[in-house]
Amino acid sequence: MNMTMMRSVAVLVPVLMAAPALAQEQVTVVKRDGEKISGRFEDWNRQTDTVYVRVSQDDQRKFPMRDVRVIDIGGSAESLPASETEAASGNDYVLVTRGGETLRGRLVNIEGGEGSAEEGEPRSVTFDAGGERRFKFSEIARIYTGQYPQQTSSSSSSTADVPAGAIRVAADQQWTQTNIVVREGDRVQFTTTGEVQLSTDGADKASSAGSLKGRHAEGSPAPQFLAGALIGRIDNGQPFAIGNQTTALPMPAAGRLWLGVNDDQVGDNSGAFVVNANVIRK
């Protein structure tokens, strides 16, 4: 082999070695509106709850994680297994490994890898399923964000009425997961619109501040607050009042934010609140 050929081989080897690593970073993101975006996964910014996907050199897509239905790593998100989508129909995140393990819980972090803040570190995913576990990005097949497919309600405020980035909190559902992950001490500013019906009694209505009649519901998650008021909790923690206040509220714990309508029997409710939540990091 002459020196020119040896130099050609030396140049080709790093390129061939890099190809599998880049292939492992390819994802297809399915949004809740059905749109699919395929490209190289770059980052999930926990502070802004934003996913970044590089479609081409000049085309980087970014969107809130709450708008994501599933991230298919290395696949096209076609013909997803029924066993996975059924497991992901609840409110928990679902992580499926390439070894076939299915975990329900909470996405804690995605860090490292090209395009992230820690490019020198291999990309990894931390997932809490009753205890935190860390996976290589290449060990994961899919990440579902819950409510697959997105749950809809027969109530008067449809998903189509909700502006991009806002959260629809249906009155006939006890709790709605937001996919917003907070740290203890973070502050969240809530802006809420809408009115909900709390029973078949046409006059039994509530704004985000609570029942227009001023009544309470003893069996509600937070009976000390007015029935129908907008409330929150962090994962399975104690409910806290949100109401119609717009002052940024300190978060009592670290975890995923849930929102709910404070009522005891939600099955006969209708309508929804539309909530914008702005996270102010500590």
Side-chain angles (χ1 to χ4, degrees):
M1 182 181 292
N2 59 39
M3 292 300 294
T4 300
M5 293 178 65
M6 290 177 66
R7 282 196 295 270
S8 298
V9 171
V11 170
L12 286 173
V13 168
V15 175
L16 293 173
M17 289 176 65
L22 290 175
Q24 292 168 356
E25 303 269 300
Q26 295 299 305
V27 300
T28 297
V29 174
V30 182
K31 296 175 63 180
R32 293 199 178 274
D33 62 7
E35 181 186 5
K36 291 185 179 181
I37 300 97
S38 295
R40 178 167 54 82
F41 188 91
E42 288 198 326
D43 201 10
W44 171 44
N45 187 319
R46 292 178 62 190
Q47 293 187 347
T48 60
D49 195 34
T50 304
V51 173
Y52 295 82
V53 174
R54 176 70 59 181
V55 175
S56 66
Q57 182 176 355
D58 300 319
D59 185 3
Q60 183 195 60
R61 307 289 179 88
K62 55 184 179 179
F63 31 86
M65 182 65 94
R66 72 173 68 96
D67 291 345
V68 174
R69 180 182 292 176
V70 60
I71 301 173
D72 191 353
I73 300 171
S76 60
E78 298 289 344
S79 302
L80 298 174
S83 59
E84 294 179 11
T85 57
E86 288 173 5
S89 64
N91 289 322
D92 288 333
Y93 272 65
V94 170
L95 182 147
V96 181
T97 70
R98 294 198 176 277
E101 188 176 8
T102 300
L103 304 172
R104 291 185 181 88
R106 178 173 64 91
L107 180 64
V108 177
N109 206 359
I110 303 176
E111 55 192 330
E114 187 175 351
S116 73
E118 297 91 18
E119 288 198 349
E121 299 295 326
R123 197 178 310 278
S124 65
V125 176
T126 304
F127 195 80
D128 186 350
E132 288 190 6
R133 294 174 60 181
R134 190 170 182 175
F135 299 87
K136 296 178 182 177
F137 200 69
S138 59
E139 294 175 328
I140 297 171
R142 279 167 291 279
I143 299 173
Y144 296 84
T145 62
Q147 296 184 351
Y148 187 100
Q150 183 170 359
Q151 296 175 356
T152 58
S153 171
S154 59
S155 53
S156 59
S157 179
S158 68
T159 303
D161 299 326
V162 180
I167 304 156
R168 181 179 184 277
V169 182
D172 60 359
Q173 183 174 308
Q174 189 71 81
W175 291 102
T176 298
Q177 60 103 347
T178 68
N179 290 339
I180 296 175
V181 178
V182 299
R183 296 187 295 260
E184 184 175 359
D186 284 349
R187 293 179 297 139
V188 180
Q189 184 177 35
F190 297 94
T191 305
T192 307
T193 59
E195 190 174 85
V196 298
Q197 184 79 39
L198 297 179
S199 69
T200 56
D201 177 359
D204 192 12
K205 297 181 179 181
S207 68
S208 60
S211 168
L212 301 184
K213 292 182 173 182
R215 73 173 182 86
H216 291 252
E218 289 303 319
S220 64
Q224 68 273 34
F225 307 136
L226 288 177
L230 179 67
I231 55 176
R233 75 180 192 200
I234 305 301
D235 289 327
N236 292 316
Q238 290 296 315
F240 57 86
I242 298 174
N244 62 351
Q245 57 189 323
T246 57
T247 302
L249 302 177
M251 295 295 98
R256 195 187 333 171
L257 173 66
W258 296 70
L259 299 176
V261 174
N262 190 40
D263 198 15
D264 49 359
Q265 300 292 331
V266 298
D268 58 354
N269 293 352
S270 61
F273 295 133
V274 176
V275 182
N276 282 283
N278 178 37
V279 180
I280 304 167
R281 300 297 179 185
K282 63 178 181 179

